[in-house]
Amino acid sequence: MAEEFEALEGCPRPGWTAVSDPPDSNLGSGGGTAHALVEAWRSSGADRSFSDWLDAGRKLIVLGGGQNRRLPAYAPVGKMLMPIPVFRWARGQRLTQTLLDLQLPEYRRVFDLAGSRVVAMVASGDVFLRLPSELPQLPAVDVLGLGMWVTPETAQHFGVFFSPRERPGELAFYLQKPSPSRIRQLSASHLYLVDSGIWLLSERAVGVILRHSGWDEVSQDFRGGSAGFYELYGQFGLALGQSPTERDAEVNALSSSVAPLPAAQFFHFGASRHMIESISALQNLELDETKLGLAGARRHPDQYLQNARFAFPLRLEENHTLWIENSTIPATWRLAFDHVLTGVPDNQWDLRLEPGVCLDFAPIGKNQYCVRSYGIDDPFAGGVGDSDTVWLGRSCIDWFQQRGIDLAAAGIDARTDIQEAPLFPVLTRSGCHPRFLEWLFAAKPDLTGDNFARRWLELPRLSASQIAERIDLSRLYCQRADNRLHCLAPMLDNHRWSVFFKLDLESTAKLYAEAGHRLPEPVDSSETGVSPMHLVRDQMFRAAVMRHRGQPDWALHEEQAFDHLRRMLERDAQLTPVCPQCRVIEDQIVWGRSPVRLDLAGGWTDTPPYCLENGGRVVNLAVDLNGQPPIQVFAKLSEGFELVMRSIDLGREQHVRTYAELEAFTHPGDEFALAKAAFALTGFLPRFHSRGGFASLEDQLRDFGGGIEVSLLSAVPKGSGLGTSSILSATLLATLGELCGLSWDREDLFARTLALEQMLTTGGGWQDQAGGLFRGIKLIETGPGLAQKPTLRWLPEYLFGNDFANQSILLYYTGLTRLAKNILREIVRGIFLNSPDHLETVAAIGANATMAFNAIQKADYAGLAAAVRTSWQLNQRLDSGTNPPAVQQILDRIGDYLEAAKLLGAGGGGYLLLLAKDDEAAGRLRQELENQPPNERARFVN
C-alpha cells in the first residue's frame, strides 16, 4: 500500500509521503517515524539540508500501525485508510472518505494552536479524536502530549501521562499500559491522563528521535543505510518527564508537558468490533431532529452498508453488528449477526452465515480471490497448534481436527503463528461454490458430500501476512469505485430520507458525472420534507454535474440557486409589508448617522446560507472615524412627485419617476441601486406595500403627500472593508422609516438590510449592519433558521478605550480597495456545495469568535491579539486573495513591531487593524509608515 498510496489515494508527493518498514525489518514507532521523515525529505528533492526542510513547514506523521491482526478486513491498506460511512448529522462529508480524512481537520486544529517551536506532530492512525469547540492554550515545550480524563480501566490499554497533583500540566513520567491497581496507587500523588495519540514535537525533539534511530547529521543519512529500531512510546516516552522511568540523558534533557483535552471524544478502530461500535457511537452523537431531517432521531442501528449492492431484507433484532463494505449481497444469502463482509464479488450464491462469521475476499492477480474467513473477535495471535489460539471464534486446532486435516499435510508447523500460517484458499469467482465457502467457516462442517478437505489442501493458500503483500489493490479500489457509483442514483432519488444533499456535492457531482447517471427531474418543492435549501442544493448539484460533463447551460442552474436564496430572504421581508405615511412637514429634514464597524472575529459565519443552517457568531465594534460618524443620510420631502437620490461623496444625482425605474436595482453598475432597493423595502414598490393598488409611483407619491429627496454621504472609500455598503443601507432604511412613520426598531432594520443585500444580488451577511446598528463592542449571535434574529452580549470597552485606541491599536488605510462581491460568490458557492474545506474553515472562524469574546471579557490584550491573528489566518485560508502582495509588503515592513494584524472585512484592501506589541512599538510602526507611505492615499485614521 505504501508503494501505491500516491496513485490510489490521489495524494502526490512531496505533499504526502507513504512509507513502510523496509522488508524483513521492524523499525518500531520511533524508527518508523524517523524513516518516514527522512523519506519525505528525500521526496521533496533533498536540495536543502534535513534541518532546513524540517523548518520550512510543519510535518504530520500518522502511524498506520502494524499488521492489523484484529481488523483483518483493512490490514492490507491500514486502518487509517478504512472507508468510513457518512455521518447522518454531518455536512460536507464524502462517499470516498477514510478514517484519515476524518482525522485531518482535528489535527489541523491542534496545529493552529501550537506554538512556533512545534515542527511536527505524531498521531495514531487507528483512532478518531473528536475535539471540543474550544481548545486550551498549549504550552511551549519540546514534547507536548495531549491527554484525556478516563477511568483506570480504560487507561490500562493505552499509554498514560502522570503529573504531580500540585503542578498539573507538568509531566512527571509516562507509563505504557499500567494496570488499574497501579494507576490507583499512583493517583494518590499524581493526576493521570490517557495518551490521546497526539504528540507535538520541537525540532530538538525530532533530532533526538532521529539520532536514536541511527541518524548521522554530518552525512545526512542513517548509519548502515537505513533507520534502526527505536520505540517512541516504549523507550522515548518512558524517558520523558521530571521523574522518568527510563534513564536516557538526551531524552531526559528535553522539556515536556501534558495538556488535557476537556470534553474530547475518543473513538478506537483497533478491532473489527471496535470499528462497528465506534461508528455507531459517532452516528448517534446527534439526535436533534432539526439536524437529521426526515430520518428522525431514532438511534442508528449497528448495521452499516457502504459501497455495496445489497438485496437481503435486514431485520434490526436479528442482524445487528453488521459491516458490509465493497460487497454484493443478494437476497439469496442468509445473514445472522456479528458479520464483517468485505470485498465480496458479484454473485448469486445461496450462502448461509453463522453468527460471528466474517468474510473478506482479497483480489489476487488478474481474476482470483483469496477467501479469508474469520471470527469477528479473532485476535490472530498464537501458534496454530496451541489449544488457546482462536480462529473463527473457536480453538484453531479444532478446525483442523473437525475436518480431518493434518497440520503437516497442510504444510504448517504447529508452532507457526496464526498470522503467518497459509490458511486462506485462493480461488476464481466461479470456484467459490457456496457449500465450499460454508465448509470453510462452519462450526460443524458437512463431511458427507464433496471432499472439501482435499480441495482445500490442493488449492494455493496464503497467510494473513501474505495477503497484505500479494493483494491487487487496484482491483480492490476499482471494485469499490464501481459499487459506489452504483449507489449514487438511488441515493439521489431518495434524497428526502438519505444524506445526499448533506454530502460534499462537488466531489459527489464529479462521481455522478463519471457514472453517466441521468439527472432526475428537479426537486419538487411541494414534496413533504423538502426544505427550501434542498431546492437550492438540487440546482447547485445539477450545475456541478453539468459543469463536469462540459454541458454549456450549467451556469443557468447555478444562477437559479443563488436567485432562490435571494427570493427566500426577500420573501421574509415581504411577509410583513408596510404602509409608508408621511411623518414630517415640508421644512423638516430627517438626519441619520452611523458609525462603521471593525470586525475582530467571526466574519463569514454571518453569511447565508451558512448562518441559515448553523447560526452565526461575530465579535465586532462600532467606531467613529476622526471624531465623526462617517455614514450619513439626509431625507426630506420634495415638491415633485418623484424620488431624488444624491450622493455627496460621488457628486452624482438620479431621479426615479416610475415603478419600473425603481425596480431596476439589480442592474449592474447602477450607482443608486442601494437607494432604490431601500425605497422598495420602505413600501414604494407594490409588492412591499401592505395596501398596494396604486396605478403608478406618481399616484402613490401624491397619496403620500410629496416626493422624497435623499442625500447620501459615505466618508469612507467603497471597498474599504468597514462594512460601509450595508451600514449605509441600514442608515438609509432607518432614515426613510422615520420619515415614513414605520416604527422600525434595530432588529427590523437588521433583517431588512439582510434582505436588501440579497435583492442587490451582492449577497452578504448581517455582521456589517449589526456592527453599525448596535453600539460599542459586542458578540452578536443568531441561531439557525430563515429569520436571523440577533442576540447581543456587550463587552467592556477597556481594550479600545483611551489607553489602547490610537495608542497600541491603530487603524491604517492602505490606499487599496477590493469589492467583496466576487469573493462572496465563490465562498457562498463552496458553502452551497457543502465544501468540507469551506465548512471546516468557517466553523473554525466561529470558534475563534468565542476566543475573541473571552479575551475582551477578561481585558486580555495578548488573547485579543491571538484571536485577531487567527482571524487573519483563517480569512486567508478561505480566500488566498484576501492578502494581496501590496498588503503583505506593508506587513513585512512593520512585522517586528506587530502582535497581530488583519485587513478588515472580506480583505484584499481597505483598512488594516494593527495591534502593536506595546506603545513604543506602535510609535516606531507609525513613524515607519508615515515617513515612507506605500502610496499617496495611505494614512492613519483615528
Side-chain angles (χ1 to χ4, degrees):
M1 186 64 210
E3 293 177 1
E4 300 194 43
F5 173 82
E6 182 175 358
L8 293 178
E9 287 293 325
C11 297
R13 299 188 180 207
W16 289 88
T17 304
V19 298
S20 65
D21 290 357
D24 303 318
S25 68
N26 175 15
L27 301 183
S29 53
T33 296
H35 174 56
L37 282 167
V38 170
E39 286 301 307
W41 164 59
R42 289 172 176 160
S43 294
S44 72
D47 54 352
R48 49 188 164 172
S49 71
F50 177 83
S51 179
D52 288 345
W53 170 80
L54 192 63
D55 283 339
R58 288 170 164 171
K59 311 300 184 289
L60 169 67
I61 305 103
V62 185
L63 303 178
Q67 296 175 312
N68 296 322
R69 296 180 180 220
R70 295 185 299 153
L71 187 59
Y74 299 107
V77 298
K79 294 168 189 168
M80 73 173 82
L81 295 179
M82 71 171 70
I84 297 293
V86 171
F87 302 143
R88 56 183 179 165
W89 45 263
R91 198 173 289 283
Q93 294 195 330
R94 294 171 177 160
L95 294 173
T96 58
Q97 70 186 8
T98 63
L99 180 56
L100 181 61
D101 292 322
L102 288 191
Q103 294 169 330
L104 288 174
E106 304 299 317
Y107 295 153
R108 189 179 295 118
R109 288 185 61 201
V110 175
F111 262 144
D112 287 344
L113 277 178
S116 58
R117 292 178 64 174
V118 172
V119 298
M121 179 196 299
V122 178
S124 173
D126 67 349
V127 302
F128 173 49
L129 192 64
R130 192 163 184 259
L131 300 175
S133 57
E134 294 184 47
L135 294 174
Q137 290 298 309
L138 303 180
V141 290
D142 291 316
V143 182
L144 175 65
L146 301 185
M148 298 174 59
W149 304 106
V150 297
T151 64
E153 286 70 26
T154 300
Q156 68 176 322
H157 302 294
F158 305 95
V160 182
F161 300 105
F162 289 86
S163 300
R165 282 191 170 272
E166 64 274 13
R167 296 186 301 280
E170 177 187 300
L171 180 61
F173 50 88
Y174 177 83
L175 296 181
Q176 266 287 76
K177 300 182 179 180
S179 68
S181 60
R182 177 66 172 149
I183 294 173
R184 289 192 183 94
Q185 179 187 9
L186 290 167
S187 67
S189 55
H190 292 80
L191 301 169
Y192 68 92
L193 291 160
V194 72
D195 183 2
S196 69
I198 296 178
W199 289 17
L200 298 174
L201 306 174
S202 70
E203 184 174 4
R204 185 181 174 205
V206 170
V208 170
I209 294 169
L210 260 71
R211 286 191 292 276
H212 280 62
S213 304
W215 178 250
D216 179 45
E217 293 172 358
V218 176
S219 65
Q220 296 279 281
D221 202 353
F222 291 108
R223 290 185 289 276
S226 65
F229 177 86
Y230 186 56
E231 264 299 326
L232 196 63
Y233 308 103
Q235 291 176 273
F236 181 79
L238 298 180
L240 291 172
Q242 299 297 314
S243 309
T245 56
E246 297 287 340
R247 302 310 303 176
D248 182 316
E250 202 173 8
V251 181
N252 297 158
L254 295 173
S255 61
S256 57
S257 185
V258 56
L261 293 171
Q265 295 167 303
F266 184 87
F267 303 92
H268 193 212
F269 290 83
S272 298
R273 194 178 292 276
H274 290 162
M275 173 180 67
I276 298 174
E277 290 172 348
S278 290
I279 292 298
S280 287
L282 283 161
Q283 288 285 9
N284 291 304
L285 281 175
E286 182 60 72
L287 296 177
D288 181 343
E289 290 209 21
T290 64
K291 298 178 181 177
L292 297 178
L294 287 182
R298 296 184 300 274
R299 178 177 170 79
H300 197 291
D302 298 334
Q303 298 170 332
Y304 297 99
L305 313 177
Q306 282 186 92
N307 313 311
R309 306 181 192 218
F310 191 84
F312 178 78
L314 282 178
R315 295 175 177 83
L316 290 180
E317 296 79 11
E318 298 174 22
N319 306 126
H320 63 80
T321 318
L322 195 66
W323 180 279
I324 298 173
E325 193 271 321
N326 189 21
S327 295
T328 297
I329 308 296
T332 49
W333 283 45
R334 289 294 176 267
L335 304 182
F337 54 88
D338 287 355
H339 300 315
V340 175
L341 307 177
T342 48
V344 181
D346 189 20
N347 71 90
Q348 289 299 322
W349 305 326
D350 56 335
L351 193 65
R352 182 184 297 273
L353 298 188
E354 299 167 359
V357 169
C358 304
L359 292 175
D360 176 45
F361 288 72
I364 304 293
K366 291 185 178 180
N367 60 359
Q368 293 180 308
Y369 293 90
C370 182
V371 182
R372 171 167 30 196
S373 53
Y374 61 98
I376 192 168
D377 296 312
D378 286 1
F380 273 90
V384 174
D386 296 345
S387 60
D388 55 355
T389 297
V390 173
W391 181 27
L392 287 161
R394 301 176 292 277
S395 172
C396 176
I397 196 65
D398 286 352
W399 188 92
F400 290 92
Q401 292 172 350
Q402 287 180 331
R403 289 159 178 78
I405 297 175
D406 182 68
L407 284 176
I412 301 173
D413 189 304
R415 295 166 297 180
T416 302
D417 187 276
I418 189 172
Q419 178 76 7
E420 308 301 331
L423 302 175
F424 307 112
V426 178
L427 305 153
T428 61
R429 183 166 58 179
S430 60
C432 293
H433 192 279
R435 302 291 80 76
F436 177 61
L437 295 178
E438 290 173 354
W439 178 87
L440 289 174
F441 57 72
K444 295 180 179 179
D446 182 1
L447 304 177
T448 60
D450 296 336
N451 193 343
F452 291 137
R454 188 169 76 181
R455 187 182 180 199
W456 183 86
L457 286 166
E458 293 174 349
L459 282 169
R461 286 172 279 114
L462 299 178
S463 69
S465 293
Q466 289 173 320
I467 291 174
E469 296 166 359
R470 301 259 318 263
I471 188 170
D472 187 326
L473 291 167
S474 294
R475 277 182 60 199
L476 176 76
Y477 271 63
C478 284
Q479 178 176 307
R480 178 177 289 147
D482 287 345
N483 285 333
R484 184 186 301 122
L485 294 179
H486 177 79
C487 300
L488 285 172
M491 283 185 72
L492 178 54
D493 289 340
N494 197 36
H495 63 85
R496 287 191 302 156
W497 299 91
S498 76
V499 296
F500 193 88
F501 285 126
K502 293 181 180 178
L503 297 172
D504 171 1
L505 292 177
E506 181 66 34
S507 70
T508 307
K510 186 176 181 182
L511 294 175
Y512 202 96
E514 291 171 357
H517 294 313
R518 179 187 63 83
L519 283 168
E521 291 299 311
V523 170
D524 185 351
S525 61
S526 65
E527 289 183 70
T528 303
V530 172
S531 71
M533 290 305 298
H534 263 54
L535 305 176
V536 174
R537 288 202 162 89
D538 179 54
Q539 292 295 340
M540 290 298 292
F541 176 72
R542 288 169 187 280
V545 171
M546 294 170 69
R547 173 162 40 84
H548 284 296
R549 288 176 174 168
Q551 294 175 268
D553 293 339
W554 67 267
L556 296 177
H557 288 279
E558 186 169 290
E559 191 52 50
Q560 285 178 25
F562 280 92
D563 185 57
H564 189 74
L565 176 66
R566 286 193 292 270
R567 283 186 280 111
M568 280 196 301
L569 293 167
E570 182 182 326
R571 192 179 305 122
D572 191 56
Q574 285 179 247
L575 292 177
T576 52
V578 294
C579 181
Q581 295 180 324
C582 184
R583 286 293 182 265
V584 296
I585 53 180
E586 57 182 344
D587 63 345
Q588 286 184 312
I589 293 178
V590 181
W591 182 16
R593 305 191 300 167
S594 289
V596 285
R597 66 98 187 97
L598 309 185
D599 60 304
L600 302 177
W604 291 114
T605 68
D606 63 304
T607 304
Y610 186 87
C611 63
L612 306 185
E613 295 175 319
N614 304 279
R617 186 185 310 139
V618 174
V619 174
N620 67 25
L621 64 152
V623 297
D624 292 338
L625 300 184
N626 295 326
Q628 294 292 330
I631 306 297
Q632 305 201 17
V633 174
F634 307 89
K636 69 182 187 70
L637 295 179
S638 65
E639 293 182 0
F641 298 108
E642 61 181 0
L643 303 176
V644 181
M645 293 158 279
R646 298 188 181 92
S647 171
I648 296 172
D649 47 296
L650 295 178
R652 304 289 176 83
E653 180 178 307
Q654 195 172 121
H655 296 246
V656 170
R657 299 180 179 87
T658 67
Y659 286 139
E661 291 173 340
L662 189 60
E663 188 84 61
F665 48 75
T666 59
H667 289 182
D670 188 337
E671 294 172 326
F672 290 97
L674 182 154
K676 291 176 182 177
F679 272 115
L681 279 172
T682 313
F684 291 97
L685 266 186
R687 69 175 186 269
F688 296 102
H689 196 289
S690 60
R691 293 204 320 265
F694 297 105
S696 65
L697 177 59
E698 182 179 347
D699 284 351
Q700 183 177 349
L701 290 173
R702 286 183 186 278
D703 181 76
F704 181 78
I708 302 174
E709 294 182 15
V710 294
S711 298
L712 315 176
L713 170 62
S714 174
V716 182
K718 196 174 184 181
S720 63
L722 301 186
T724 51
S725 174
S726 296
I727 296 174
L728 180 59
S729 299
T731 312
L732 179 53
L733 284 170
T735 305
L736 290 174
E738 187 78 10
L739 185 142
C740 297
L742 299 179
S743 302
W744 284 335
D745 61 18
R746 281 174 166 76
E747 288 194 9
D748 293 323
L749 294 169
F750 173 93
R752 289 181 180 268
T753 305
L754 183 60
L756 188 150
E757 294 280 352
Q758 299 300 323
M759 291 163 60
L760 294 176
T761 74
T762 54
W766 47 250
Q767 83 133 322
D768 294 347
Q769 62 264 31
L773 281 167
F774 301 105
R775 63 176 175 79
I777 309 167
K778 60 272 179 185
L779 170 68
I780 314 153
E781 294 179 289
T782 63
L786 190 59
Q788 290 285 287
K789 298 187 181 300
T791 300
L792 289 100
R793 284 187 272 175
W794 272 272
L795 286 157
E797 299 184 1
Y798 172 71
L799 288 179
F800 294 91
N802 292 335
D803 290 343
F804 291 90
N806 309 310
Q807 303 298 321
S808 53
I809 299 182
L810 305 173
L811 191 60
Y812 186 69
Y813 181 56
T814 63
L816 309 168
T817 58
R818 182 191 190 202
L819 298 182
K821 182 172 181 178
N822 291 336
I823 317 166
L824 181 69
R825 188 178 180 92
E826 288 302 312
I827 292 171
V828 169
R829 175 190 285 118
I831 295 171
F832 271 149
L833 290 170
N834 298 325
S835 158
D837 291 339
H838 285 82
L839 294 177
E840 176 195 336
T841 303
V842 178
I845 286 171
N848 186 52
T850 302
M851 302 286 283
F853 172 83
N854 291 334
I856 299 171
Q857 186 76 51
K858 293 183 285 188
D860 177 5
Y861 184 78
L864 171 63
V868 170
R869 197 162 51 241
T870 301
S871 286
W872 181 227
Q873 292 165 352
L874 291 171
N875 283 358
Q876 291 176 79
R877 184 185 296 175
L878 202 57
D879 170 37
S880 59
T882 289
N883 186 13
V887 171
Q888 188 59 49
Q889 288 171 10
I890 297 173
L891 294 172
D892 288 342
R893 287 174 54 192
I894 58 176
D896 290 343
Y897 311 123
L898 284 176
E899 192 72 22
K902 77 179 291 283
L903 276 171
L904 297 164
Y911 282 83
L912 269 170
L913 182 67
L914 306 173
L915 278 69
K917 292 179 177 177
D918 51 41
D919 286 358
E920 181 182 352
R924 293 176 180 272
L925 182 160
R926 186 186 287 271
Q927 185 178 18
E928 167 69 24
L929 293 179
E930 286 179 340
N931 289 346
Q932 289 185 299
N935 56 66
E936 61 184 15
R937 295 181 302 279
R939 60 192 179 272
F940 284 96
V941 175
N942 287 335

